[in-house]
Amino acid sequence: MIIHLKNSVADAEVEKIAQELDAFVVKKPEHHVLITPSALQEVPSRYESITEESFAFSSDIQLASADYFSETREIDINGVKIGGTNNNTMVIAGPCSVESEEQITQSAELMVEQGIKTLRAGCYKPRTSPYSFQGMGIEGLKLLDKMRSKYGVNIITEVRDTTHVDEVIEYADIVQIGAKAMYDQGILRTCGKSNKPILLKRGFGTTLQEFVQAAEFILSGGNDNVILCERGIRTFETKTRFTLDLCGVAYLKEYTNLPIILDPSHAMGYRYGVPDLARACTAMGIEGLLIEVHPDPSVAKSDAAQQLDHDMFRDLLKTLRPIAEAVGHKIV
Ligand code: PEP
Ligand code: MN
C-alpha cells in the first residue's frame, strides 16, 4: 500500500510509523510517501487523521503501477525529455563497447551529424565468457566524459557489478543496468539512492512481474527516474538470439507508469533484422529505442554480428522519423 502522510507530521513520527508498518519512506515536498508491503489493504484507523491519500494494490507492483498514477513518468535527461506529455522517442545509439578514442569519437560525430542526443557504449561488459573482451573500465568512462564535453551528447553506460556502481553513477547521464545485472540488489539499492535516470533492462528469463519489482527496488529507494528496457527474452527459438517481447511492452504500457525503451539489437542478435524491428518498435509509440552502431562492425570487440554500420544507421533514421510521427511521436 502507498500512504501519503500529511507533511505536517514530524519526521520522527513518520519513521516510527514506517517501522510499525514495515514501510519505506520517500520524502516529497508535498507529503511523506510510505510504501508498505502490498498485503496491507487498509490504512490502520489510528493513522487515518494524518493520512492525505492512500492506494491499495493487488501485488508488489506499487510505485510503478498505473493505478498509482496513470501518466507515464516524465524523465528529464539534461533537457532531453521523455514520458509525460512529451511524446518523444529518444534514440540511444552507439557501439556495444568503448574500444578506443578514435572509435568512440567517430560514434559521437555520427550522433551529432544525425541530431541524436544520447550516445551509448559499455565500459564494464557483462560477458558470457571470462576470456572475451571485458571493457575498458575507468579509461572508457573518461573517454565518454570527453565525448560529452566535446560534442554535448548525453552518455549512457552500463554497470556490471557493485565494485564500480558509484563510478558509473558519477560519469553517466543515464545508468544502464543490464539484463544479467538486473537481479543485483546491491546495484538496485545504490541506484535507488541516486537521482540519475536509470535504464533497467529486462533479464532474458525474467517475468514481467519480476522485472517491474526490480524497478520497485529503485523507486522505493527514492529515485523516481526509472526507465524500463525490453531487450528480448529466451524462448525455444534459436534462429534469433532472443525473442523481442512486444506483448510484454503492451502490458507494461497499460499497467505501469514507467517510460519504455526497446532494444531490437540485443533481441535480434543479427544486424539484418534490426532495422525492421526498430521500425516495428517505433510504431508502438514508445519513449525510446536502443540501437547498437559501430564505425566498423566487422572488428567490434563485442556484439559484432548485431551492430549496424554508419550508413545503415543513417538509412534507418530516415525511415523512423515518419513512423514516429504517424503515432504522434518525435525522434529525439
Ligand atoms: C548491452 O547493452 O551492450 C548489453 C550487454 O545488453 P544486455 O544487458 O541487454 O545483454
Ligand atoms: Mn551489446
Side-chain angles (χ1 to χ4, degrees):
M1 173 162 237
I2 299 177
I3 304 171
H4 290 181
L5 287 183
K6 293 178 180 165
N7 65 3
S8 55
V9 185
D11 285 1
E13 177 70 2
V14 175
E15 291 305 329
K16 204 171 126 244
I17 300 171
Q19 269 201 349
E20 278 174 28
L21 298 181
D22 212 5
F24 285 87
V25 181
V26 178
K27 289 191 178 122
K28 299 277 178 200
E30 328 77 77
H31 43 238
H32 308 272
V33 181
L34 256 60
I35 311 110
T36 79
S38 57
L40 186 73
Q41 291 287 305
E42 267 177 43
V43 178
S45 56
R46 60 191 181 281
Y47 302 135
E48 265 168 18
S49 63
I50 54 171
T51 297
E52 199 178 81
E53 216 178 343
S54 63
F55 308 81
F57 302 91
S58 56
S59 84
D60 279 353
I61 297 180
Q62 303 194 94
L63 291 165
S65 171
D67 291 338
Y68 182 37
F69 57 87
S70 56
E71 186 174 286
T72 309
R73 286 165 188 263
E74 179 179 280
I75 315 258
D76 183 342
I77 310 115
N78 303 318
V80 180
K81 292 184 185 170
I82 57 168
T85 53
N86 294 289
N87 289 339
N88 283 333
T89 298
M90 174 174 69
V91 172
I92 296 172
C96 183
S97 304
V98 183
E99 297 171 5
S100 67
E101 180 157 358
E102 191 195 353
Q103 172 241 21
I104 200 66
T105 300
Q106 286 175 282
S107 302
E109 286 178 350
L110 178 68
M111 298 310 127
V112 173
E113 173 202 297
Q114 292 298 308
I116 296 302
K117 300 181 171 61
T118 318
L119 175 67
R120 65 142 284 143
C123 303
Y124 297 93
K125 297 306 297 180
R127 304 307 297 280
T128 309
S129 164
Y131 311 116
S132 309
F133 176 63
Q134 305 291 304
M136 288 182 73
I138 182 74
E139 294 314 314
L141 291 180
K142 287 181 183 161
L143 286 176
L144 288 174
D145 193 34
K146 198 165 170 182
M147 296 304 111
R148 171 178 32 227
S149 320
K150 197 164 164 197
Y151 297 101
V153 285
N154 282 327
I155 297 297
I156 168 165
T157 190
E158 73 196 276
V159 49
R160 183 181 59 209
D161 59 61
T162 45
T163 60
H164 52 258
V165 59
D166 294 324
E167 249 163 51
V168 172
I169 290 173
E170 183 191 334
Y171 279 85
D173 299 299
I174 306 174
V175 176
Q176 176 174 320
I177 303 177
K180 293 173 186 152
M182 65 143 280
Y183 284 106
D184 187 321
Q185 303 197 352
I187 294 175
L188 297 173
R189 288 179 202 276
T190 306
C191 288
K193 288 191 202 114
S194 155
N195 59 8
K196 280 273 163 84
I198 309 293
L199 181 84
L200 180 68
K201 284 193 160 197
R202 180 182 182 185
F204 45 73
T206 304
T207 64
L208 294 165
Q209 179 77 27
E210 289 166 342
F211 184 27
V212 185
Q213 281 180 188
E216 292 275 339
F217 271 92
I218 305 169
L219 297 165
S220 61
N223 188 344
D224 289 330
N225 303 308
V226 181
I227 307 163
L228 298 177
C229 178
E230 160 62 29
R231 47 75 75 206
I233 52 174
R234 189 161 276 167
T235 64
F236 54 82
E237 187 52 70
T238 56
K239 296 290 188 202
T240 59
R241 195 174 177 197
F242 295 99
T243 298
L244 190 61
D245 183 13
L246 298 185
C247 297
V249 172
Y251 167 87
L252 296 168
K253 281 180 66 161
E254 182 72 12
Y255 290 104
T256 80
N257 54 39
L258 302 176
I260 297 161
I261 292 207
L262 275 151
D263 171 358
S265 299
H266 290 85
M268 184 69 205
Y270 302 98
R271 100 183 97 255
Y272 77 86
V274 172
D276 275 349
L277 280 172
R279 286 185 277 270
C281 294
T282 303
M284 287 189 80
I286 45 167
E287 279 67 49
L289 261 187
L290 187 162
I291 306 286
E292 282 196 340
V293 46
H294 191 287
D296 182 1
S298 68
V299 299
K301 292 187 175 173
S302 56
D303 286 345
Q306 72 199 27
Q307 303 200 56
L308 304 187
D309 65 26
H310 285 194
D311 279 341
M312 281 181 91
F313 183 67
R314 290 182 180 105
D315 289 346
L316 171 62
L317 278 178
K318 278 184 214 147
T319 66
L320 289 184
R321 291 196 170 101
I323 295 171
E325 216 171 284
V327 294
H329 275 231
K330 187 166 168 266
I331 298 287
V332 296

